Amino acid sequence: MKVSSAIGAFLAVASAAVVDRKARGDGHGHDHLPMVDSRKLQNAIKSKALLGGAKVLEKIAFSTPGRNRQMGTLGHNLTTDFLVKELKKLGGYYKVETQTFWAPTFLNGTGTLLIDGVKTDSGMFDYTTTGNVTAPIVVVNNLGCTSSDYPSTLSGNIALVKRGSCEFGLKSALAGAAGAKGALIYNNIQGRLEGTLGLPGRPEGEYLPTLGLSNTQGLDFVTQITGGATVTATIDVASDIQNRSTVNILATTTHGNSDEVLVLGAHTDSVYRGPGINDDGSGTIGILEVAKALSKYKVNNAVRFGWWSGEEIGLLGSEFYVASLSAEEQAKIRLYLNFDMIASPNYILGIYDGDGSAYNNTGPAGSAQLEHFYQNWFKSNGHNYTSVDFTGRSDYGPFLDINVPCGGTETGAEVIKTEAEVAMFGGTAGIPYDPNYHQAGDGVGNLAMDAFEINAKAIAASVAEYAVSYKSLPPKAKSNKRGVFPRRTGKGKTLRI
Ligand SMILES: *[C@@H]1O[C@H](CO)[C@@H](O)[C@H](O)[C@H]1NC(C)=O
Ligand SMILES: *[C@@H]1O[C@H](CO)[C@@H](O)[C@H](O)[C@H]1NC(C)=O
Ligand SMILES: *[C@@H]1O[C@H](CO)[C@@H](O)[C@H](O)[C@H]1NC(C)=O
Ligand SMILES: *[C@@H]1O[C@H](CO)[C@@H](O)[C@H](O)[C@H]1NC(C)=O
Ligand SMILES: *[C@@H]1O[C@H](CO)[C@@H](O)[C@H](O)[C@H]1NC(C)=O
Ligand SMILES: *[C@@H]1O[C@H](CO)[C@@H](O)[C@H](O)[C@H]1NC(C)=O
């Protein structure tokens, strides 16, 4: 199916279950439970259970033809079935709901690259346009992130663009807008480049038939072409894109003040290329274990766990959830905590830079205190920590948009680890925090279990803190008007760069 509408159009047709219900404030059936205690909640988080949950998700992925847990596939359905079953075991402690929405899903694709008629290695991009084009290659200037980088000689030819700084999808669409017939994007680190263009329907235009190259291949073509040679490419790609339904899962305590809800979340979908056990099986299981542990305690403030779908194709589930709430319901979200990749094999211990001190992207009032909470927790538990840019490039973005203070931790994706970070966290310099990011290797065997346990305990500590009281936070901003904290570009958990 060829898709050309904008993202909003797909979400507008989706259906939603009723999401917010005034929970009983009387502790209905929970009065006998002790008030949540931070130390006890943290101690209830066991590495063995985290590993067990990760193994379940991997087994689910590997039981399906795609060996993934991508939105709209059997692997994702089995993931959400598992979570609902686990939550329902908790004796009605949570009200468990699902929210259904639809989105075009890239299910499979094939790609062949010929250079001057000879078959050459290449990588696929999800959501590439189907086509078979042959033309000379023209080199795009800089990183191809603005239309002025695309020379007029591109018209009718194939664009060669370097990876970096902006989304693959933007490069493909800008090359199309400049009149190219196809696009080749080459890596800026070792290895063949593959990834996702993201959902179609960009304002810049349609995607071209697009393939990925290694850095060596790309630089070789640049040398030949700038030396005056003509290099002709054939890009022959096909992609199977289908409109599929999926669900978000919401689990809300049936007691606690539902006018000031603590919301936390992780995403349940993997990319097409792998089982997604660090990204974001780790966050999925991390918050599940905290949800299970919390069910032995009473809370003052209602707590809602969100398991979002469609994160990998553009934060669809979290965006859908936020948009499904009335302004009044949105205002009841006191804060949002996000956990996306918390067991990267070559990890950093990262905390969202809510106070803007490292990246100058300051969040809504309260985000600084959430960052400081995690900093204090890491410090008092003898761990180093570092800041990660507060870009909104994971499921906290839609919450930033409505002025909700956000916080969270992550252990890093495709960014290369530095020597200074090795001194702080161990690991290997010169390779990514997660060398298996968005690849088939993102499995149980590549999790850093120490980072997983540290972060899951940090989640427990923050839930215990804010389920009891928000007194350490400044008053929440009155307005939940969109756009006060616009999504920023930059590093962070980059989705498609
Ligand atoms: C994807 O397509 C390839 C080639 O047609 C096929 O071998 C493979 O089984 C497909 N994968 C899935 C998950 O359908
Ligand atoms: C996933 O579950 C939905 C119902 O929630 C169903 O309509 C769909 O067919 C299932 N998809 C697969 C691939 O099993
Ligand atoms: C794609 O185009 C090339 C060059 O014109 C041609 O050799 C090849 O057979 C085409 N592929 C398909 C599947 O038609
Ligand atoms: C996807 O399917 C749903 C349910 O049938 C429908 O409401 C929606 O319009 C479809 N979206 C597209 C883009 O076809
Ligand atoms: C931080 O960002 C603000 C608002 O975007 C800007 O006015 C200010 O100059 C920036 N400060 C630094 C040190 O970059
Ligand atoms: C924290 O980082 C410093 C280097 O900045 C290092 O000397 C120290 O050993 C690290 N501490 C831990 C617990 O890893």
Side-chain angles (χ1 to χ4, degrees):
M1 183 185 82
K2 182 157 173 302
V3 181
S4 58
S5 323
I7 295 171
F10 297 112
L11 298 184
V13 299
S15 69
V18 177
V19 170
D20 208 4
R21 191 184 65 168
K22 180 112 182 155
R24 288 168 193 265
D26 62 1
H28 191 67
H30 300 92
D31 283 342
H32 66 287
L33 296 174
M35 182 56 66
V36 62
D37 171 84
S38 184
R39 186 49 54 195
K40 286 183 183 155
L41 198 68
Q42 291 176 54
N43 286 343
I45 302 303
K46 305 288 183 202
S47 182
K48 203 174 155 196
L50 297 171
L51 182 62
K55 282 182 175 166
V56 170
L57 298 186
E58 185 179 85
K59 201 168 164 196
I60 285 172
F62 290 171
S63 74
T64 70
R67 294 174 71 79
N68 64 29
R69 299 181 303 106
Q70 190 196 4
M71 191 211 111
T73 68
L74 178 61
H76 188 258
N77 278 12
L78 294 173
T79 299
T80 54
D81 290 350
F82 163 71
L83 292 168
V84 169
K85 201 177 86 215
E86 290 294 297
L87 292 163
K88 294 227 160 127
K89 282 184 195 163
L90 304 174
Y93 184 85
Y94 296 103
K95 181 182 181 214
V96 181
E97 295 156 292
T98 58
Q99 263 197 321
T100 302
F101 62 93
W102 293 76
T105 308
F106 173 89
L107 292 168
N108 203 355
T110 53
T112 305
L113 174 65
L114 307 181
I115 297 295
D116 295 324
V118 178
K119 193 169 173 212
T120 307
D121 192 39
S122 64
M124 274 295 293
F125 282 105
D126 305 2
Y127 291 105
T128 178
T129 295
T130 296
N132 185 9
V133 295
T134 299
I137 299 176
V138 170
V139 179
V140 170
N141 300 316
N142 306 314
L143 291 172
C145 293
T146 60
S147 53
S148 59
D149 289 341
Y150 292 79
S152 57
T153 49
L154 248 185
S155 188
N157 293 318
I158 286 176
L160 177 64
V161 197
K162 187 174 185 177
R163 178 186 191 180
S165 196
C166 63
E167 296 178 348
F168 303 133
L170 179 65
K171 298 181 192 219
S172 184
L174 286 176
K181 289 164 75 174
L184 296 170
I185 305 175
Y186 68 98
N187 218 339
N188 55 4
I189 54 172
Q190 282 209 324
R192 184 174 66 174
L193 180 61
E194 49 184 19
T196 181
L197 300 179
L199 272 190
R202 284 183 165 274
E204 296 81 13
E206 308 267 328
Y207 296 142
L208 294 174
T210 305
L211 284 172
L213 302 175
S214 70
N215 185 250
T216 314
Q217 284 172 310
L219 293 178
D220 180 34
F221 297 152
V222 170
T223 306
Q224 290 185 47
I225 295 161
T226 52
T230 299
V231 181
T232 299
T234 298
I235 299 175
D236 186 2
V237 289
S239 56
D240 179 9
I241 300 170
Q242 289 175 25
N243 184 20
R244 290 284 171 103
S245 75
T246 192
V247 296
N248 287 331
I249 300 169
L250 300 158
T252 310
T253 56
T254 56
H255 71 291
N257 181 359
S258 59
D259 288 333
E260 289 199 293
V261 186
L262 159 57
V263 184
L264 67 158
H267 72 86
T268 51
D269 60 313
S270 75
V271 292
Y272 158 78
R273 293 196 162 67
I277 302 304
N278 181 35
D279 183 11
D280 184 24
S282 61
T284 294
I285 298 298
I287 69 168
L288 175 66
E289 287 303 313
V290 173
K292 284 155 76 171
L294 185 65
S295 70
K296 309 238 172 0
Y297 299 97
K298 196 160 64 180
V299 292
N300 288 331
N301 298 317
V303 181
R304 179 174 303 140
F305 293 81
W307 283 271
W308 318 119
S309 182
E311 190 270 354
E312 296 290 3
I313 55 176
L315 319 183
L316 300 190
S318 50
E319 192 78 75
F320 183 76
Y321 167 68
V322 166
S324 75
L325 301 175
S326 66
E328 194 192 337
E329 288 166 327
Q330 289 177 348
K332 292 179 183 169
I333 303 176
R334 185 62 183 85
L335 60 85
Y336 175 72
L337 304 173
N338 194 61
F339 302 96
D340 188 358
M341 305 181 72
I342 56 170
S344 309
N346 192 32
Y347 66 85
I348 52 169
L349 295 173
I351 303 172
Y352 294 156
D353 183 36
D355 68 5
S357 60
Y359 294 93
N360 198 25
N361 278 334
T362 310
S367 306
Q369 284 73 13
L370 298 176
E371 180 186 5
H372 303 156
F373 174 84
Y374 289 116
Q375 290 176 338
N376 288 332
W377 187 89
F378 279 103
K379 199 183 299 168
S380 60
N381 285 278
H383 306 298
N384 284 321
Y385 56 82
T386 188
S387 298
V388 293
D389 198 358
F390 204 46
T391 55
R393 298 190 91 98
S394 181
D395 289 311
Y396 62 100
F399 292 87
L400 287 184
D401 286 351
I402 56 163
N403 252 334
V404 169
C406 294
T409 65
E410 64 162 57
T411 54
E414 84 290 4
V415 173
I416 308 291
K417 199 171 204 172
T418 64
E419 292 289 356
E421 288 165 343
V422 170
M424 292 174 74
F425 305 108
T428 310
I431 63 166
Y433 303 135
D434 186 352
N436 311 296
Y437 176 60
H438 286 180
Q439 302 298 326
D442 183 11
V444 169
N446 286 319
L447 294 177
M449 288 309 302
D450 53 348
F452 199 173
E453 187 178 351
I454 290 167
N455 280 281
K457 285 183 189 288
I459 299 171
S462 53
V463 167
E465 170 84 6
Y466 301 114
V468 172
S469 168
Y470 298 119
K471 67 178 189 302
S472 59
L473 299 183
K476 197 175 158 222
K478 285 276 181 293
S479 158
N480 53 8
K481 195 162 88 316
R482 281 186 176 260
V484 178
F485 291 90
R487 238 49 91 60
R488 288 83 165 183
T489 55
K491 282 197 245 167
K493 195 223 169 195
T494 49
L495 294 174
R496 302 181 279 276
I497 289 180

